[in-house]
Amino acid sequence: MINRRLIRIKVFQALFGEFGQENTRPSVTLSNIKKSILGVENNFLSVLNFGPELSHFINSEHNPSELKYQPTSDDIKSYKLITNNSFIKKVAALNEIEEFAKRPSFDWQQEKEVVFLIYKELKKSDAFKIAMSKELNEENDFEFAKFIYKHLLLDSVEFEQLMEHKNIFWYDEKIPILKSLEKVFKSYEEQGQIQFPEASKNTEEDLQMAEEILNNYLEHRTDIQECINVYTPG
């Protein structure tokens, strides 16, 4: 999830925010960088938690049993396609998701309007129509759940705009998060259970690398600023 490229980006983003300001404190900058690096896992959990939160939203806001008219078989099936989705239920049962849900850094229930718009996007998709034409079973549940997550990260404008608004680092974290989701899917395909991916192979080394980049900048700060002044006149 966290790689060297992402670490460099986060350091440069922090330095860009500090550039030109007087009385900047390197210790504060470093603290912000480390907080941002460690926050990638929470952002991944926010995305992974969308499935269970979508299920909860549909169950509480669009339950066909609560309609004034008699629900059709398609109404009931489309409801079960997500609320009774075996893969989404297994995601919800992950210890990491249960702990995250107690104190979410991103609360989907506060974004019901966006969740509803994404739900409508899903229902208009070809993948939804295909899923509705198939039997509801574990294999087809998994295929549709994969589509939901990939749609979020690759196609949903509503989701993209919301994440960019909530997380200024979203553009750079998006691909690592997508790759982590693919690891989740692969573990489920191969083992029949969800393996939560590691945020980092070595968190201590990642944080040390970030600190070294920052220190290297501080050591050559005057030279760097002179170069910037020369090559960016005015």
Side-chain angles (χ1 to χ4, degrees):
M1 195 180 305
I2 298 173
N3 53 44
R4 290 179 176 272
R5 176 181 178 276
L6 186 58
I7 293 169
R8 292 188 184 98
I9 288 172
K10 287 188 173 294
V11 174
F12 293 149
Q13 285 172 331
L15 291 174
F16 181 78
E18 298 288 341
F19 187 76
Q21 297 186 28
E22 296 182 1
N23 302 320
T24 57
R25 295 171 58 191
S27 60
V28 174
T29 303
L30 180 60
S31 176
N32 290 336
I33 292 170
K34 289 182 176 181
K35 183 179 179 181
S36 179
I37 291 172
L38 296 174
V40 175
E41 184 174 24
N42 266 343
N43 294 331
F44 169 70
L45 284 166
S46 297
V47 174
L48 190 61
N49 194 38
F50 178 82
E53 291 293 344
L54 175 63
S55 175
H56 175 75
F57 170 77
I58 295 170
N59 185 52
S60 60
E61 304 284 340
H62 296 276
N63 191 327
S65 66
E66 298 176 358
L67 296 175
K68 293 181 180 180
Y69 58 85
Q70 185 69 26
T72 66
S73 58
D74 279 351
D75 290 332
I76 296 171
K77 188 173 184 178
S78 66
Y79 169 77
K80 289 182 176 179
L81 181 61
I82 296 175
T83 61
N84 202 37
N85 187 289
S86 56
F87 181 79
I88 290 176
K89 284 185 173 182
K90 288 178 181 178
V91 169
L94 288 171
N95 290 334
E96 292 85 355
I97 289 294
E98 289 182 343
E99 289 300 314
F100 175 78
K102 292 176 182 177
R103 292 184 177 181
S105 57
F106 187 103
D107 188 357
W108 284 107
Q109 295 308 311
Q110 298 297 319
E111 304 293 343
K112 289 185 178 181
E113 183 177 343
V114 174
V115 173
F116 181 54
L117 290 172
I118 294 172
Y119 178 46
K120 290 200 294 185
E121 290 176 358
L122 295 171
K123 292 187 73 173
K124 291 178 181 178
S125 68
D126 290 338
F128 180 83
K129 295 173 185 175
I130 293 172
M132 286 290 290
S133 69
K134 294 181 177 180
E135 179 185 353
L136 296 183
N137 57 36
E138 190 167 343
E139 180 181 354
N140 293 332
D141 282 354
F142 177 50
E143 288 302 315
F144 188 67
K146 281 198 299 183
F147 165 73
I148 291 175
Y149 286 110
K150 289 183 178 181
H151 174 78
L152 287 180
L153 288 157
L154 300 176
D155 299 314
S156 177
V157 175
E158 294 293 339
F159 178 80
E160 186 81 5
Q161 290 178 343
L162 177 64
M163 296 307 288
E164 287 179 347
H165 175 70
K166 294 288 185 179
N167 176 14
I168 62 173
F169 305 116
W170 172 249
Y171 181 81
D172 300 304
E173 294 180 2
K174 178 178 176 178
I175 297 303
I177 286 175
L178 177 59
K179 289 182 177 179
S180 293
L181 278 173
E182 289 173 347
K183 289 180 181 178
V184 168
F185 300 149
K186 186 177 180 181
S187 71
Y188 188 75
E189 287 173 336
E190 294 179 349
Q191 304 171 31
Q193 58 184 357
I194 299 173
Q195 294 290 332
F196 192 80
E198 292 181 339
S200 169
K201 292 181 179 179
N202 191 316
T203 302
E204 187 176 342
E205 285 186 3
D206 290 342
L207 298 179
Q208 180 63 35
M209 175 183 171
E211 186 171 356
E212 288 174 358
I213 295 173
L214 176 61
N215 289 338
N216 194 39
Y217 163 77
L218 294 173
E219 183 180 347
H220 300 91
R221 184 173 186 172
T222 301
D223 293 337
I224 292 172
Q225 288 181 331
E226 287 178 357
C227 286
I228 291 174
N229 292 335
V230 170
Y231 291 103
T232 56

